[in-house]
Amino acid sequence: MSKNAVFNSSILLNVLGLGFQWGSWFIFQVRLIHGKTELVTSSWRPVPLTWHFSTKASLFPLLNEKGTHMNRKLSLNYLQLSASGVNSYRDDGSRRRNYRDDGSRRRNSRRHGRNGSFDSIVGMSEQPLSKNDKNMIRRSQVPQVVDTLWQLKAKDMLPAIWFILIGGCDAAVQYVEDLKGLIKGVAARLHNNFQVPQVVDTLWQLKAKDMLPAIWFIFNRRGCDAAVQYVEDCSLLDECEMSEVELALKKFRLLYPDAVRETAVKGLIKGVAAHHAGCLPLWKSFVEELFQRGLVKVVFATETLAAGINMPARTAVISSLSKRTSTGRIQLSPNELLQMAGRAGRRGIDERGHVVIVQTPYEGAEESCKLLFSGFEPLVSQFTASYGMVLNLLGGAKVTRHPNELDETNTLQARRTLEEARKLVEQSFGNYLGSNVMLAAKEELAKIQKEIEALTYEISDEAIDRKSRKLLTEVAYKEIADLQEELRAEKCVRTELRRWMELKRFSALKPLLKDFENGHLPFICLQYKDSEGVENFVPAVYLAEVESLDGSKLKNMVSVDDSFALSSVGTSDTHQDVEPAYYVALGSDNSWYLFTEKWIKTVYRSGFPNVALTQGEALPREIMRTLLDKEETQWEKLADSELGGLWCIEGSLETWSWSLSVPVLSSLSESDEVLHMSQEYIESVERYREQRNKVARLKKKIARTEGFREYKKILDTAKFTEEKIKRLKARSNHLINRMEQIEPSGWKEFLQISKVIHETRALDINTHVIFPLGETAAAIRGENELWLAMVLRNKILLELKPAQLAAVCASLVSEGIKVRAWKNNNYIYESSSTVLNVISLLEEQRNSFVQLQEKHEVEIACCLDGQFSGMVEAWASGLSWRELMMDCAMDEGDLARLLRRTIDLLAQIPKLPDIDTLLQKNATTASDVMDRPPISELTG
């Protein structure tokens, strides 16, 4: 290996498939300094991974023996057949051959995908399954966490880390109580992406197969804590190990009495623990230490544990392939999945690492393989310009001069010119990607666009007509051409009759739905075809027309967003128009549906009585409206038409019990339907059917013509070309999205920020003279350095006491901190009136600054949130940690993080240039008071 060779064996980069991208950029930078340098990459993994899939029945291999396709036993069709007692596969997962009654064999054709991808999975399905069928099969296979854990232990796959996605740790605590009799709570927990019952089955599977210790990923905090308390009666430690844990806990309690997480102690002694951002860093470090010593067998953790902490395990369990975010539910990316999987397998201890994906009501093995085989996402640069960067690169001579500075200091030339700054910015990783990947992507995109144009011309009427004249005789061509012209005319009539039929249907539906606005909530059936052409029927309970939901988020969204725009429906031979409208209903699958009359198959007489269950309680209609308004506004379009689209969004924990009360369609009889159509509608249906039959007869007549065989070849070629154009357009859209991700924007952002700095008189970008505001901002570390400097230089802060100053500083750094009220923990200390008044005055200054940022298209957060300032003020005033956390609506980890951020900002103030000495003194006092246990001992 040459002197300047670089060997990149980073497991993290290679697991994510990102090593080559990052390494190439690094080599590019090294070459600029040291000359010729080569990159050596390695994809070798010291501990190979084995993928498993946990269902209620057992722990199966996710892939076949070669690792190229999904295990056939996990296909939805096989699971459906197994449930009905039919086994079409052998024990090893291979397909059985079917025999006809006459003894002849019938081979089942298989479609093999390229590169061992997901394509081969599709071939397993004998017939397409509807959304309801798939959900029913998946729900029947959802395991319980304890069973999965026992599977791991039995297969010697412990220790393990169990990942739980952010948002549901405390829910499990409640679930334990629910098991003791609160059935309503059980229903609510089961819907929240993480299903606590699945812990039971999966845990037993892991333990039985000796696959512990494990890291169990659950994507919410409440789910993590819930899982711990749900399995805390299942001891994974022997008596000796339990004694060691108790001894370690006693030592920890003596050192850090306020850092002990009392609700987690029982589970910890049994060998299970939670690890997430809601825990104090001291407690997380303690859990990590016990895990590394083998005294914690299962850690239930959020995905943040997947990076940055040395905590390997034998097994990684992934509880779901999707997670909730502020914009709704999203699927994990391939990179996120592999990052979590990379935690499995301890070098020098395990021969193999194990990854277990758990069946949920929403995702199964097919979705797992699709994600696993989908390939890596491109590495995207996170480089962004900041106020501090611009000021430090361009700042030159100062307006002010201190007595101890030399005269020359006041006349310093600019540190860098704009051109020099640009060269530095363009050496970033983002620009490196842009200059290579972007160039190749643009060339490919141009090539695709050119091919689409050529293919589009090939399927035009002119091109088809030219080919027909060339291949057919003159008589055959004229016969087909005349019949095709007649067919086009008849199709236009059919379209008009269908529109007329829909108009009459709308006329019958509108008054019917209007009558239900103030009565009971009727059951309805929605009907649509999904992207695969499968017909879906969804039973639901009707709520209201969106237009009647005054003040709701949904009504505002529909009225503002052009995606939901509707136009009137009419026909060419009548002046009668009907305006479609949007309605909303809750489906039996716990999804909200937004739809027009187009998607209503029928309406039933039965439904939910709009009567309060108990005196003083709100009516069901009002309760459902409130629940709907709590949902996010990220709606997914299921189907579309000129008469309006069909949209859906997943419901919440609170709506789950309502959805359970919606009956299945088989229990609703036709006699219960109330959608009685008018005589005009019935006649319009008959006319439409007659016209449809006429079109069908005309097609058959064309098929019997002399030259149809040759003409059909032309049409088949055109149809194939249309499919090719669709694939090319999909590829084009993928390229455009990728180019938007990696397009370098560093220099553009740099110039935009410099304009804001110039207008605020922090720096003159022409002369490079830096003003006092710029000096302060250049020395600050923070999200928005200029905004922080503007606040800290404001004279109103001089009137504040140390604790009040800490409270105001907390309002500047509280971004991302949330209220997490649960049960009786719903209290937050309020700020003093002085602090509230100061924050109110700063709000006016912030609004002006935000407008200036928007003017120059600068998107840097400008935080000022005083809802947690009272907690910081109480801590800075000397309140104890136990008093502060009593009935607190904040997680310990969140409050500790906020206090640490505040201390960090206060500690910077005495070191900043051109800051009043009184403010510096108060900041030092506040920082010293706040930096006490357990905050002073935070290590993570």
Side-chain angles (χ1 to χ4, degrees):
M1 189 177 292
S2 64
K3 180 180 179 181
N4 288 331
V6 176
F7 182 78
N8 172 23
S9 60
S10 169
I11 296 301
L12 172 63
L13 293 175
N14 282 312
V15 166
L16 292 180
L18 307 177
F20 184 77
Q21 275 184 303
W22 184 89
S24 299
W25 171 77
F26 177 73
I27 294 302
F28 172 75
Q29 298 296 324
V30 173
R31 281 175 183 161
L32 296 178
I33 302 170
H34 298 290
K36 185 177 180 181
T37 307
E38 299 298 329
L39 173 68
V40 180
T41 63
S42 172
S43 59
W44 173 71
R45 197 177 195 279
V47 183
L49 288 180
T50 300
W51 293 80
H52 306 266
F53 193 78
S54 176
T55 68
K56 192 174 184 65
S58 183
L59 191 66
F60 293 96
L62 176 64
L63 307 175
N64 63 5
E65 291 183 0
K66 295 182 179 179
T68 56
H69 302 98
M70 185 185 76
N71 180 357
R72 290 179 176 275
K73 282 191 173 183
L74 295 173
S75 71
L76 289 171
N77 287 85
Y78 177 83
L79 294 173
Q80 188 180 41
L81 291 172
S82 297
S84 61
V86 179
N87 186 5
S88 58
Y89 296 96
R90 297 189 183 96
D91 292 338
D92 61 359
S94 61
R95 183 84 182 191
R96 293 183 188 274
R97 289 198 172 114
N98 296 323
Y99 293 85
R100 299 181 186 274
D101 293 338
D102 59 3
S104 62
R105 290 189 302 183
R106 179 179 60 194
R107 297 181 181 269
N108 291 303
S109 63
R110 294 188 216 163
R111 188 178 68 189
H112 292 277
R114 290 174 291 179
N115 302 323
S117 69
F118 178 71
D119 295 343
S120 60
I121 297 171
V122 181
M124 296 179 186
S125 300
E126 299 295 337
Q127 58 184 9
L129 297 170
S130 69
K131 180 182 176 183
N132 286 343
D133 291 336
K134 292 177 181 178
N135 288 341
M136 183 174 65
I137 296 170
R138 287 172 183 147
R139 286 191 181 111
S140 69
Q141 297 297 319
V142 174
Q144 297 186 13
V145 182
V146 172
D147 289 343
T148 305
L149 186 53
W150 288 127
Q151 289 174 0
L152 293 182
K153 185 161 185 178
K155 289 194 173 183
D156 193 22
M157 293 167 69
L158 293 180
I161 302 177
W162 209 304
F163 286 88
I164 303 181
L165 299 188
I166 300 171
C169 296
D170 299 332
V173 179
Q174 184 67 31
Y175 186 78
V176 179
E177 298 175 2
D178 296 340
L179 289 177
K180 298 174 182 176
L182 302 180
I183 304 303
K184 183 179 180 181
V186 174
R189 301 305 172 280
L190 285 174
H191 172 70
N192 187 24
N193 192 34
F194 166 64
Q195 290 76 32
V196 176
Q198 71 179 208
V199 178
V200 179
D201 292 325
T202 309
L203 187 59
W204 286 111
Q205 292 168 2
L206 298 182
K207 188 178 176 75
K209 296 187 177 182
D210 197 19
M211 294 166 67
L212 298 178
I215 302 176
W216 199 310
F217 290 100
I218 302 176
F219 302 109
N220 56 72
R221 299 181 188 181
R222 288 181 177 175
C224 292
D225 293 338
V228 170
Q229 296 199 23
Y230 188 66
V231 301
E232 63 185 8
D233 291 330
C234 307
S235 180
L236 302 177
L237 304 178
D238 56 34
E239 292 184 4
C240 182
E241 290 172 326
M242 290 175 64
S243 299
E244 286 189 59
V245 173
E246 290 173 348
L247 180 61
L249 186 60
K250 286 179 182 178
K251 291 180 179 179
F252 183 82
R253 193 185 295 274
L254 287 174
L255 291 172
Y256 314 113
D258 288 334
V260 176
R261 192 174 175 87
E262 296 294 347
T263 56
V265 168
K266 185 178 178 182
L268 191 69
I269 295 174
K270 297 299 180 68
V272 293
H275 189 292
H276 52 75
C279 305
L280 278 174
L282 279 172
W283 180 258
K284 289 194 290 184
S285 298
F286 179 57
V287 170
E288 293 164 17
E289 178 190 341
L290 293 179
F291 189 83
Q292 290 167 2
R293 291 170 55 186
L295 299 177
V296 170
K297 301 298 183 182
V298 178
V299 169
F300 296 96
T302 54
E303 75 270 34
T304 52
L305 184 61
I309 299 175
N310 181 25
M311 220 174 138
R314 177 170 296 166
T315 302
V317 183
I318 300 168
S319 64
S320 175
L321 296 179
S322 62
K323 58 183 178 179
R324 279 187 176 274
T325 65
S326 58
T327 57
R329 185 177 294 280
I330 61 171
Q331 189 181 56
L332 296 178
S333 68
N335 293 1
E336 289 173 325
L337 176 65
L338 292 174
Q339 177 68 53
M340 289 185 283
R343 281 294 174 186
R346 297 166 297 177
R347 189 172 187 173
I349 302 176
D350 301 320
E351 292 184 2
R352 301 195 69 84
H354 302 275
V355 184
V356 178
I357 300 177
V358 182
Q359 172 77 58
T360 75
Y362 310 104
E363 306 105 6
E366 295 182 355
E367 290 77 12
S368 302
C369 289
K370 184 176 181 180
L371 188 62
L372 187 59
F373 289 129
S374 61
F376 305 109
E377 292 182 337
L379 187 60
V380 178
S381 171
Q382 299 300 310
F383 171 82
T384 55
S386 66
Y387 290 108
M389 176 193 294
V390 175
L391 287 165
N392 282 296
L393 283 177
L394 300 182
K398 301 178 182 178
V399 171
T400 59
R401 179 173 64 85
H402 297 289
N404 60 341
E405 290 180 329
L406 299 175
D407 291 340
E408 291 86 341
T409 308
N410 201 35
T411 57
L412 283 175
Q413 295 299 315
R415 295 182 187 176
R416 287 178 178 84
T417 64
L418 277 174
E419 187 58 32
E420 290 171 335
R422 179 170 188 162
K423 288 180 180 178
L424 278 174
V425 171
E426 288 181 346
Q427 288 180 11
S428 71
F429 178 53
N431 280 273
Y432 173 79
L433 285 176
S435 61
N436 290 274
V437 182
M438 184 71 76
L439 182 62
K442 285 181 178 178
E443 290 177 356
E444 186 176 357
L445 185 62
K447 188 177 178 182
I448 291 173
Q449 295 291 357
K450 188 175 180 180
E451 188 175 359
I452 289 175
E453 289 178 11
L455 292 175
T456 302
Y457 177 74
E458 287 184 19
I459 61 173
S460 63
D461 291 341
E462 180 185 347
I464 291 176
D465 186 69
R466 187 178 66 253
K467 291 177 183 177
S468 300
R469 286 179 182 274
K470 185 177 180 180
L471 289 176
L472 303 178
T473 64
E474 185 176 347
V475 174
Y477 168 77
K478 187 175 186 307
E479 182 183 12
I480 289 179
D482 291 343
L483 288 174
Q484 283 289 353
E485 186 64 32
E486 184 181 351
L487 179 63
R488 279 192 287 270
E490 294 299 338
K491 282 183 175 180
C492 289
V493 174
R494 184 186 63 181
T495 300
E496 285 298 314
L497 288 175
R498 187 179 68 247
R499 290 174 64 85
W500 175 253
M501 179 180 66
E502 289 290 350
L503 187 142
K504 290 301 176 185
R505 188 168 177 274
F506 277 31
S507 300
L509 272 172
K510 274 188 173 295
L512 181 62
L513 296 174
K514 190 71 175 176
D515 291 341
F516 284 119
E517 288 291 325
N518 297 316
H520 75 290
L521 288 76
F523 299 129
I524 62 174
C525 177
L526 302 175
Q527 180 181 5
Y528 72 96
K529 283 186 178 181
D530 58 25
S531 57
E532 298 176 356
V534 179
E535 196 83 47
N536 288 270
F537 298 93
V538 183
V541 56
Y542 171 74
L543 178 57
E545 182 180 352
V546 173
E547 189 63 29
S548 68
L549 301 176
D550 295 331
S552 69
K553 290 193 298 185
L554 182 59
K555 181 179 178 180
N556 295 335
M557 180 193 70
V558 170
S559 60
V560 173
D561 195 334
D562 292 338
S563 304
F564 300 93
L566 294 172
S567 56
S568 58
V569 181
T571 59
S572 58
D573 59 347
T574 178
H575 296 292
Q576 183 182 6
D577 286 347
V578 174
E579 187 79 28
Y582 275 113
Y583 303 88
V584 65
L586 179 66
S588 61
D589 58 351
N590 194 29
S591 294
W592 289 101
Y593 288 89
L594 180 65
F595 53 91
T596 62
E597 295 89 344
K598 159 74 178 176
W599 311 103
I600 302 176
K601 181 179 184 293
T602 190
V603 181
Y604 296 95
R605 184 178 293 104
S606 56
F608 290 166
N610 193 33
V611 180
L613 295 179
T614 59
Q615 189 174 2
E617 190 177 35
L619 297 175
R621 190 184 301 277
E622 295 302 320
I623 295 174
M624 290 186 68
R625 285 184 179 183
T626 303
L627 295 177
L628 174 63
D629 213 37
K630 290 182 180 179
E631 300 296 339
E632 304 293 341
T633 55
Q634 192 78 13
W635 290 77
E636 175 190 357
K637 182 181 283 189
L638 297 177
D640 198 11
S641 77
E642 61 179 3
L643 304 174
L646 173 68
W647 308 70
C648 82
I649 187 173
E650 191 177 338
S652 64
L653 289 171
E654 296 167 292
T655 60
W656 195 77
S657 57
W658 289 84
S659 68
L660 290 177
S661 299
V662 178
V664 295
L665 291 176
S666 58
S667 65
L668 296 168
S669 64
E670 291 185 7
S671 61
D672 196 34
E673 296 180 18
V674 292
L675 185 54
H676 301 300
M677 297 300 181
S678 62
Q679 185 62 33
E680 284 184 309
Y681 173 74
I682 296 173
E683 292 174 359
S684 68
V685 171
E686 288 299 320
R687 287 199 297 272
Y688 171 72
R689 286 176 178 170
E690 289 174 7
Q691 185 63 27
R692 189 176 60 186
N693 292 335
K694 188 175 182 181
V695 169
R697 288 194 297 270
L698 200 52
K699 286 181 179 179
K700 290 180 180 178
K701 187 175 180 181
I702 294 174
R704 290 193 294 267
T705 57
E706 177 187 345
F708 179 73
R709 179 174 295 181
E710 295 298 324
Y711 182 69
K712 187 174 184 300
K713 291 179 181 178
I714 298 173
L715 296 181
D716 289 342
T717 302
K719 188 177 293 185
F720 176 79
T721 304
E722 285 180 359
E723 292 298 322
K724 188 175 181 180
I725 290 173
K726 285 182 181 179
R727 293 194 298 271
L728 286 172
K729 285 182 177 180
R731 173 63 180 161
S732 174
N733 292 333
H734 175 75
L735 274 176
I736 291 171
N737 292 334
R738 186 179 178 187
M739 288 166 65
E740 289 175 353
Q741 285 182 329
I742 65 175
E743 184 178 11
S745 58
W747 181 243
K748 180 182 176 182
E749 292 173 355
F750 191 95
L751 291 178
Q752 291 168 339
I753 289 172
S754 65
K755 292 175 183 177
V756 175
I757 287 174
H758 183 73
E759 286 199 33
T760 55
R761 300 292 294 170
L763 172 75
D764 188 326
I765 59 174
N766 298 315
T767 64
H768 297 277
V769 172
I770 188 167
F771 296 95
L773 175 60
E775 289 184 56
T776 305
I780 291 178
R781 302 187 315 273
E783 181 77 16
N784 190 321
E785 301 94 332
L786 187 56
W787 165 240
L788 293 175
M790 293 170 71
V791 173
L792 296 179
R793 294 180 58 81
N794 198 312
K795 298 301 180 183
I796 60 174
L797 299 189
L798 301 179
E799 303 171 5
L800 299 177
K801 297 176 182 178
Q804 295 169 341
L805 175 62
V808 173
C809 286
S811 70
L812 303 174
V813 295
S814 61
E815 187 175 9
I817 306 296
K818 297 178 181 179
V819 173
R820 301 181 188 275
W822 181 248
K823 297 172 66 177
N824 297 323
N825 300 338
N826 53 17
Y827 186 79
I828 290 181
Y829 282 90
E830 294 184 1
S831 303
S832 62
S833 58
T834 303
V835 172
L836 293 175
N837 290 336
V838 170
I839 292 176
S840 179
L841 292 172
L842 291 175
E843 185 65 38
E844 298 177 12
Q845 187 178 359
R846 177 185 175 276
N847 292 337
S848 300
F849 183 63
V850 169
Q851 289 177 6
L852 180 61
Q853 286 197 148
E854 291 174 350
K855 173 185 173 182
H856 296 291
E857 299 180 352
V858 173
E859 299 179 355
I860 300 180
C862 187
C863 183
L864 184 67
D865 184 358
Q867 69 170 320
F868 304 112
S869 295
M871 299 293 290
V872 177
E873 188 175 4
W875 178 252
S877 299
L879 202 68
S880 71
W881 183 258
R882 290 185 183 276
E883 290 173 323
L884 197 64
M885 289 306 302
M886 190 177 296
D887 299 331
C888 180
M890 297 177 69
D891 284 344
E892 288 180 317
D894 286 336
L895 181 55
R897 191 158 48 254
L898 176 60
L899 293 175
R900 199 68 255 176
R901 288 181 191 174
T902 306
I903 293 171
D904 180 65
L905 180 57
L906 289 169
Q908 290 185 62
I909 294 175
K911 304 171 187 176
L912 298 177
D914 209 57
I915 292 291
D916 193 285
T917 55
L918 177 59
L919 186 68
Q920 292 178 330
K921 180 181 177 182
N922 288 339
T924 301
T925 303
S927 176
D928 291 342
V929 172
M930 292 180 65
D931 198 13
R932 65 184 193 273
I935 303 303
S936 58
E937 288 116 349
L938 296 188
T939 58

